């Protein structure tokens, strides 16, 4: 599995799936979420307005994108709870959840956007560590045939 970091905009990252942290009570009317919502044709504002997605910690919304401004063809929104409670533990949980879920959907290349404002390097390190740990399979040496799904790039 290859791991790389980038400062590119989400719409420029060429991956199969994009995972984005969303905070409880957040509306896509400014900043990063507004830009992302515009790229996906109002999909994010729609699921928030219809209360299908409230961004509670651990809540997820998964979409296949057919016509969007993103290179990614799938979008995973992961609720991270309250923004002021978004610390190292929540960032790690977010990274592991994103990697496990998207591997289960057979995505080979993924991008994970943890949305931190302070130390981006530490956040990236936490996301990668938790993604690798989240992909651990305890039945690695099981003798029965099992479906093989792997991530090629994060």
């Amino acid at each position: 599995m290859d791991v790389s970091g980038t400062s590119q905009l989400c719409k420029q990252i060429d991956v199969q799936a994009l995972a984005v942290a969303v905070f409880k009570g957040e509306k896509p009317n400014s900043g990063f979420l507004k830009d992302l919502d515009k790229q996906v044709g109002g999909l994010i504002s729609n699921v928030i307005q219809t209360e299908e997605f409230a961004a509670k910690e651990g809540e997820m919304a998964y979409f296949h994108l057919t016509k969007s401004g993103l290179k990614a063809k799938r979008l995973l929104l992961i609720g991270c709870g309250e923004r002021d409670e978004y610390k190292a533990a929540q960032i790690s949980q977010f990274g592991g959840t994103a990697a496990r879920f998207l591997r289960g959907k057979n995505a080979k290349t993924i991008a994970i956007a943890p949305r931190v404002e302070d130390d981006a390097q530490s956040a990236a390190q936490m996301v990668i560590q938790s993604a690798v740990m989240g992909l651990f399979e305890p039945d690695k040496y099981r003798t029965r045939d099992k479906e093989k799904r792997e991530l090629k790039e994060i």
Side-chain angles (χ1 to χ4, degrees):
M1 173 175 40
D2 294 330
V3 176
S4 62
T6 184
S7 59
Q8 291 179 317
L9 298 173
C10 286
K11 68 181 179 179
Q12 297 171 330
I13 302 172
D14 190 15
V15 292
Q16 291 179 350
L18 171 65
V20 177
V22 182
F23 304 103
K24 190 173 182 181
E26 186 175 26
K27 305 286 185 219
N29 53 13
S30 65
F32 173 82
L33 211 54
K34 179 181 180 180
D35 295 339
L36 186 61
D37 189 45
K38 182 180 178 185
Q39 295 297 320
V40 296
L43 187 65
I44 298 169
S45 56
N46 187 32
V47 296
I48 290 174
Q49 286 173 355
T50 59
E51 299 178 0
E52 291 178 54
F53 180 73
K56 295 176 189 170
E57 193 169 333
E59 184 178 11
M60 293 184 280
Y62 178 69
F63 307 98
H64 283 267
L65 307 172
T66 54
K67 296 179 183 178
S68 76
L70 300 177
K71 289 185 177 181
K73 296 302 174 199
R74 303 179 218 173
L75 175 65
L76 175 63
L77 304 178
I78 301 178
C80 293
E82 301 290 339
R83 185 182 263 296
D84 58 343
E85 296 174 6
Y86 188 59
K87 306 289 186 230
Q90 288 77 17
I91 294 170
S92 293
Q93 183 178 2
F94 164 72
T97 299
R100 259 189 326 276
F101 184 88
L102 291 171
R103 180 188 59 190
K105 296 296 183 183
N106 210 24
K108 300 296 183 201
T109 58
I110 66 172
I112 302 173
R115 297 186 60 205
V116 294
E117 296 171 359
D118 298 335
D119 189 4
Q121 184 177 355
S122 292
Q125 185 177 4
M126 284 184 277
V127 165
I128 294 303
Q129 285 175 342
S130 60
V132 170
M133 288 186 336
L135 294 173
F136 175 73
E137 290 287 343
D139 63 349
K140 181 177 181 176
Y141 299 106
R142 187 171 74 185
T143 57
R144 292 183 186 161
D145 291 337
K146 59 181 178 179
E147 187 175 346
K148 186 173 182 173
R149 293 186 180 190
E150 294 178 345
L151 290 179
K152 289 183 180 178
E153 183 178 350
I154 297 179

